[in-house]
């Protein structure tokens, strides 16, 4: 499939999606989101891909949903096409790990997309924000919910109510990003991290992702029980036998991802 708004590269075992709409700071329009959905589904189906990185340009991961595309929309249209959920949440449906590598602006839908990924590595140039309030609307792709879970009520409320941006240092301090790296190293660092994950046992990685995500959806007791059950299930994998044998034999494990 050929893409117009994104670049897709898969140097196995990692799939890389680069948002590529520089004239609009990677503003997310319907076409771009359709293309990203296709690319993510392709990676999900490709058994040689075991981790995914989504990035933008040095100036912008994405400056939000495309305001010009939305400006004339009315309520009935938004409702009838279920604006946003139709294809905006594909990243949350992927079972393989996805890293957001963010440089420059991650605003509005851009910040929301980054937060839908499993974790965010930020360049020291990154700026995060939910400025929708300045447009007379509010975040519509999970911003009020996910930002609050990442950084807590006070900071999320201030950002959502004022549109204030958070720089990379504050984002790391607040738990929004896992770490900050120099801008020039961002994509290499994210790919290196993705390759490290891709070398591990894919069933374990996917189950680990599912377990961490459970922490947001359930009580502590149920989450701990879920973790225990899936922990038990990993003893049915060849990779558990290999991982523990490799430790005992003082060698590097060679996982079969089964
Ligand atoms: N939508 C459309 N075009 C955009 C967007 C955007 N979000 N952001 C930037 N652009 C365009 C500009 O219009 C400009 O185009 P042109 O050259 O044709 O005039 C080009 O990108 C460059 O932008 P600027 O000249 O403004 O660049 P600056 O460096 O001066 O400023 C900023 C950079 C601060 C990032 C500024 O562009 C800006 O404030 N952008 C808008 C940020 C924003 O409000 N984002 C939130 C959008 S609403 C949203 O995301 C709702 C999400 C809900 C989910 C939606 C599901 C579909």
């Amino acid at each position: 499939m050929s893409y117009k708004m994104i670049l897709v590269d898969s140097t196995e075992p990692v799939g890389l999606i680069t948002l590529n709409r520089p004239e609009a700071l990677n503003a997310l329009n319907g076409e771009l989101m359709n293309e990203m959905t296709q690319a993510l589904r392709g990676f999900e189906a490709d058994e040689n891909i075991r981790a995914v990185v989504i990035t933008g340009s040095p100036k912008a991961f994405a400056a939000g949903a495309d305001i010009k595309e939305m400006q004339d929309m009315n309520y009935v249209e938004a409702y009838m096409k279920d604006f946003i959920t139709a294809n905006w949440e594909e990243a949350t449906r992927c079972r393989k790990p996805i890293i957001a590598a963010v440089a420059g602006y991650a605003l509005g839908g851009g910040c929301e997309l980054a937060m839908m990924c499993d974790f965010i590595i930020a360049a020291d140039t990154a700026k995060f924000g939910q400025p929708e309030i300045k447009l007379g609307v509010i975040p519509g792709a999970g911003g009020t919910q996910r930002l609050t879970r990442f950084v807590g009520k006070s900071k999320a409320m201030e950002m959502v109510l004022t549109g204030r941006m958070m720089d990379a240092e504050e984002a790391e301090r607040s738990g929004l990003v896992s770490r900050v790296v120099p801008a020039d190293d961002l994509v290499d660092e994210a790919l290196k991290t993705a390759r490290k994950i891709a070398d591990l046992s894919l069933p374990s990685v996917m189950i680990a992702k599912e377990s961490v995500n459970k922490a947001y959806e359930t009580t502590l007791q149920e989450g701990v029980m879920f973790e225990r059950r899936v922990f038990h299930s990993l003893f049915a994998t060849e990779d558990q036998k290999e991982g523990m044998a490799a430790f005992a034999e003082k060698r590097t494990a060679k996982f079969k991802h089964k």
Side-chain angles (χ1 to χ4, degrees):
M1 160 142 192
S2 68
Y3 297 101
K4 287 197 331 219
M5 308 243 160
I6 59 174
L7 304 172
V8 175
D9 178 69
S10 50
T11 309
E12 291 162 11
V14 174
L16 173 65
I17 297 174
T18 306
L19 309 185
N20 187 32
R21 206 190 160 205
E23 71 285 1
L25 300 182
N26 292 332
L28 305 167
N29 62 10
E31 194 176 358
L32 188 154
M33 293 312 289
N34 282 337
E35 290 188 1
M36 179 143 53
T37 297
Q38 289 312 311
L40 286 171
R41 286 184 184 162
F43 287 150
E44 190 75 349
D46 183 344
E47 60 181 27
N48 296 313
I49 296 297
R50 296 195 289 277
V52 176
V53 172
I54 301 179
T55 195
S57 72
K59 180 151 188 204
F61 177 73
D66 190 319
I67 299 168
K68 294 163 194 167
E69 192 180 65
M70 281 185 294
Q71 97 186 80
D72 294 324
M73 190 166 57
N74 64 37
Y75 170 76
V76 173
E77 268 178 81
Y79 177 79
M80 293 309 284
K81 62 181 173 191
D82 199 11
F83 187 53
I84 295 167
T85 54
N87 63 0
W88 268 70
E89 291 179 324
E90 193 60 27
T92 66
R93 294 187 195 107
C94 285
R95 298 168 72 211
K96 294 176 182 172
I98 308 181
I99 302 172
V102 174
Y105 297 110
L107 302 178
C111 186
E112 291 170 313
L113 172 64
M115 291 191 291
M116 285 180 211
C117 297
D118 294 312
F119 61 94
I120 303 172
I121 299 180
D124 48 14
T125 57
K127 285 193 166 59
F128 298 87
Q130 297 289 163
E132 290 91 338
I133 201 78
K134 296 184 189 170
L135 301 169
V137 291
I138 67 165
T144 61
Q145 305 304 299
R146 291 198 177 89
L147 187 64
T148 308
R149 282 167 163 79
F150 275 102
V151 305
K153 178 181 169 186
S154 197
K155 239 178 224 298
M157 193 66 97
E158 188 203 345
M159 288 176 69
V160 169
L161 294 188
T162 67
R164 174 174 86 78
M165 290 186 215
M166 193 186 257
D167 67 16
E169 190 272 324
E170 185 181 3
E172 185 180 27
R173 181 159 33 93
S174 314
L176 178 57
V177 309
S178 68
R179 66 197 158 93
V180 179
V181 299
D184 287 346
D185 303 339
L186 176 70
V187 176
D188 282 350
E189 273 296 326
L191 289 173
K192 203 157 81 181
T193 306
R195 270 186 228 109
K196 227 183 243 182
I197 295 170
D199 271 349
L200 302 169
S201 161
L202 184 59
S204 306
V205 165
M206 289 171 62
I207 287 177
K209 165 171 169 162
E210 213 180 321
S211 297
V212 173
N213 283 334
K214 266 280 186 253
Y216 288 95
E217 308 291 350
T218 190
T219 63
L220 178 62
Q221 201 180 8
E222 284 172 5
V224 168
M225 188 49 76
F226 176 85
E227 180 195 78
R228 189 167 314 154
R229 292 292 177 247
V230 292
F231 170 74
H232 294 161
S233 75
L234 287 168
F235 285 81
T237 64
E238 289 182 33
D239 284 345
Q240 173 270 328
K241 301 287 174 283
E242 166 61 11
M244 293 193 181
F247 175 81
E249 293 160 19
K250 300 189 190 299
R251 60 174 175 84
T252 305
K254 281 203 183 117
F255 292 114
K256 291 188 179 157
H257 311 289
K258 312 191 198 176

